[in-house]
Every structure is written in C-alpha cells, then in structure tokens.
Amino acid sequence: MAFEANEDFFRGRGAQVNTHNKFLKVKYIAEHIEGLDEPLLHNSKTQLFMENAKSIVSKSNSPDLSHMHSINPYQGCEHGCIYCYARNSHEYYGFSAGLDFERKIIVKHNAPELLEEYFNRRRYQPTPIILSGNTDCYQPIERDLKITRRLLEIFLQYKHPVSIITKNNLILRDMDIVEQLAKFNLIHVNISITSLDEQLRQKLEPRTVTSIGRLTTIEKLTQKGVPVRVMTAPIIPGLNSNEVPAIIKAAANRGAVAAGFTLVRLNGSIAEIFTDWIHKTFPDRAEKVLNLIRECHNGNLNDSEFGRRMSGDGEVAESIHQLYRMACKKYLDGREMPGYNLSLFTPKTGRQITLF
C-alpha cells in the first residue's frame, strides 16, 4: 500500500482535523487567520489536564457489553488511532474528537485511591474489571505517571481479577506485578494487533508500538504464564480485513491462547475524521473502503444498532466472520483463556466469602 505524501498531512497524528463538538456553539477553524503565521492546528504539543475524579469504575449496560466493569485512568489517547470509538467521549469534556483527542489528555490522578475505596464498599462482591474499556491504559504518558502500575498494585494487594487491553509494550515494565497476578489466576491480557503491514500500521495508529513489538510482548507475557488474547480489532474491510489469518497465526505462534475481533464502525464524529483521513492517506481506494464499511452497517458509516454495530452484517461482514472462525480453528484449536479466581478477594475488613 503506497502512501503518497500530502503537504497538508499532520505527521505523527492520526486525525487530520478537529471536528465540531456538538455540545459547543463555537467551531474550530483550520485555515490561516490574518496575523497568524501558521494554521491553528499546527500546535502539536500534548497537553495534560488533571481531573480529580469522583468515581473510577464504570459499568456498561449495553447489550453488546453487558455488565462490563472498566477503569480508564486516562481520557484521550496519544496513540492517535484514527478509528478509535473513544474519540466521541472527548466531546463531553468540551474538546474535539479529532486532534484534541490525541493532544489534550485528561489524567485521573486519584484513580488508585478511588479503586481502593471501591473495593472496600460494604457487601462488595468481586467481578473482573477491565483496564481500559475506552482509552489505552499504557499510552505514552503512563511511562512517567505510572497510574496504571499503581492500579495493578492495588489489584494484587486485594487479590482482585483484572483484564488489560493495550497495544503498547509498556506493559512489560510491570511484569513483576502481572506475573504475580497470573499465578493467582487474576489476570487476562488482551493485545491489539490491527495490521502486520508496518506502512499501514503507521498510518492507522501513528504513535503505537510496531506489530513485531506487540508480538514480542505476547511472547514475553506467555513465557511468564500470563494468558494473552490477541485482538484483531478493528477489522476495516478493504484495508486490513485480509490480514486476519496472518495476525492470528503470528500471535498463536508467540503463545496467544485466544482471539477476538470487532468490525470498524464510524459512529458520531469518527465518520468525518475517518473520511477526511482516508481521502488524504489512500485517495485511490478511499471510496471503496467507505462503501465496504457501509455494506457492513446497513448502508451507513454510523451504526448504533445493538448486535450489529460491533460485528456488522451482510455478505462482506459474513466473509470476514468466516475468515476469523477458520483462523481460530486452525491456529488456536484447543486453547482458551483460563477462568478467574474470585475466591481470593481480600478487602480491609478481612477475607471475602463469596456466596455463589
């Protein structure tokens, strides 16, 4: 996939525009303004905003993600993945889902303290919690802030089950904690690999670890007894859909025991962001890819229909489903993620006795 340089392309960023925030009356302007030497969007510095969060564990009641509990220590993500469904949530903070999402990061610095309070609630019964259900808990600023590491220390202290979703090898920094959690059957790790094609990966996910780096991460985790699932997500028909078997095979060869996938959906502002990006990045195939996505979502880029929005339907979607099932059968047959041990949870009041 050849990439043609575009003089208007923001290097190192996924989104190329700041879309309008539907909650605001003001609009972003990308063109030159008299008296300024550069367009407003040329400020590429990442800004951190400290939030004193009131709660940290979120529960999803969506039929697609029923009873999912998650923690997001960061809102916004420097990884800059162009397709990220979490972009829309940045608008609730008064920012754009476009470039703002990658450059204005909200930090929940008190997340560890809130998690400990959560575990010590009266009659609390342990249920697996995901890090992160929205934005990557191991994005670049975690290297310095170490909020995710502090959260993992609390999960280990309380012997509470946790699942991690990331595409960054920074998780290896915390191997000492992750390995201990694995010994108690308290952790699942999900490593996202969207493409093995580095040219494509750099455009889709400009500030992420290479695919080789992620495969190496899978290997190092599994060598320490940590169960790992490879997430081939999202699948974008016409861009990376043909890579599903190769990704699952490569991950299985490194020790992955399970796989998962979702079909891309361009909900909310992401449709505008993605459409702008693909016309600038792959102009020769832009309309083809967009039409294939529409075929998977009842003719729309934006699909909010439960059951269909994450998996798609129609002939194109079904062909991807078949490819995925065949790859899992061929490369992961007989493997599975182990169950969590919920019996070890120990709040400050003493050993938790599970009733069921």
Side-chain angles (χ1 to χ4, degrees):
M1 293 184 181
F3 173 71
E4 295 292 334
N6 187 317
E7 62 179 6
D8 296 324
F9 201 89
F10 289 95
R11 301 293 178 180
R13 295 294 181 184
Q16 299 300 302
V17 293
N18 250 339
T19 49
H20 174 58
N21 184 335
K22 60 180 177 293
F23 298 111
L24 301 179
K25 294 181 179 180
V26 296
K27 291 189 176 182
Y28 291 92
I29 300 174
E31 64 268 16
H32 284 282
I33 297 178
E34 186 177 355
L36 296 180
D37 293 331
E38 296 181 346
L40 295 179
L41 296 182
H42 279 190
N43 177 11
S44 61
K45 182 179 179 180
T46 300
Q47 296 176 276
L48 302 184
F49 298 82
M50 296 297 168
E51 178 186 13
N52 191 34
K54 295 182 179 180
S55 62
I56 197 61
V57 179
S58 299
K59 181 180 178 181
S60 172
N61 293 316
S62 163
D64 294 325
L65 302 167
S66 181
H67 305 298
M68 184 187 81
H69 293 73
S70 64
I71 293 176
N72 296 283
Y74 306 105
Q75 176 59 44
C77 185
E78 278 194 281
H79 282 158
C81 302
I82 190 62
Y83 51 75
C84 184
Y85 60 83
R87 287 181 176 274
N88 290 315
S89 59
H90 224 45
E91 295 181 347
Y92 292 104
Y93 289 85
F95 298 130
S96 168
L99 282 161
D100 277 357
F101 178 78
E102 307 169 33
R103 301 184 304 185
K104 300 180 185 295
I105 311 300
I106 296 157
V107 178
K108 300 175 183 178
H109 64 91
N110 60 335
E113 291 77 15
L114 290 174
L115 178 61
E116 192 161 14
E117 291 177 9
Y118 185 82
F119 285 164
N120 286 293
R121 293 184 310 166
R122 189 179 180 185
R123 296 194 181 97
Y124 174 71
Q125 292 291 323
T127 187
I129 294 176
I130 297 175
L131 286 173
S132 301
N134 207 31
T135 54
D136 204 314
C137 60
Y138 278 111
Q139 59 180 283
I141 57 173
E142 165 63 20
R143 190 175 300 279
D144 296 323
L145 300 183
K146 298 181 180 179
I147 298 175
T148 297
R149 180 176 176 85
R150 289 167 55 206
L151 288 168
L152 289 177
E153 289 173 343
I154 292 173
F155 277 109
L156 180 58
Q157 176 187 343
Y158 284 80
K159 299 296 188 297
H160 192 285
V162 60
S163 177
I164 298 174
I165 304 174
T166 186
K167 55 187 65 175
N168 198 331
N169 59 4
L170 182 56
I171 188 176
L172 298 178
R173 178 201 63 186
D174 298 335
M175 182 68 86
D176 56 328
I177 306 174
V178 172
E179 185 179 1
Q180 287 300 311
L181 285 164
K183 288 181 179 179
F184 293 110
N185 287 330
L186 292 173
I187 192 169
H188 291 173
V189 174
N190 305 273
I191 302 294
S192 298
I193 301 179
T194 311
S195 177
L196 299 177
D197 180 338
E198 273 305 293
Q199 280 194 322
L200 177 57
R201 195 274 311 167
Q202 288 173 7
K203 305 304 174 290
L204 283 169
E205 309 165 342
R207 293 193 172 190
T208 57
V209 175
T210 65
S211 56
I212 294 299
R214 296 182 219 183
L215 289 170
T216 301
T217 299
I218 292 174
E219 184 173 35
K220 290 183 177 181
L221 287 168
T222 56
Q223 287 175 347
K224 294 293 185 177
V226 181
V228 179
R229 176 188 290 107
V230 60
M231 297 298 296
T232 56
I235 299 302
I236 306 172
L239 274 187
N240 67 343
S241 51
N242 63 312
E243 294 192 67
V244 173
I247 293 172
I248 293 177
K249 178 182 179 181
N253 288 343
R254 300 299 183 104
V257 298
F261 90 103
T262 59
L263 261 170
V264 70
R265 68 184 182 101
L266 306 178
N267 55 313
S269 296
I270 304 170
E272 180 182 347
I273 295 166
F274 186 92
T275 299
D276 173 81
W277 171 85
I278 198 166
H279 276 287
K280 290 177 178 176
T281 312
F282 299 108
D284 59 326
R285 69 190 67 199
E287 284 304 314
K288 177 183 178 181
V289 171
L290 292 171
N291 285 332
L292 287 171
I293 294 174
R294 291 187 183 97
E295 286 188 41
C296 296
H297 294 288
N298 197 35
N300 303 307
L301 293 178
N302 186 346
D303 190 353
S304 299
E305 183 73 25
F306 291 128
R308 185 183 62 207
R309 59 179 188 160
M310 298 177 69
S311 59
D313 65 5
E315 293 182 3
V316 174
E318 181 55 31
S319 66
I320 294 172
H321 284 227
Q322 290 180 6
L323 200 61
Y324 168 77
R325 289 193 294 264
M326 289 171 58
C328 288
K329 178 67 176 178
K330 184 173 182 179
Y331 302 116
L332 294 171
D333 192 35
R335 305 186 195 185
E336 62 180 1
M337 297 291 276
Y340 288 110
N341 188 342
L342 300 177
S343 67
L344 301 178
F345 177 64
T346 308
K348 285 185 177 179
T349 53
R351 175 60 58 87
Q352 179 80 18
I353 305 300
T354 55
L355 301 178
F356 304 100

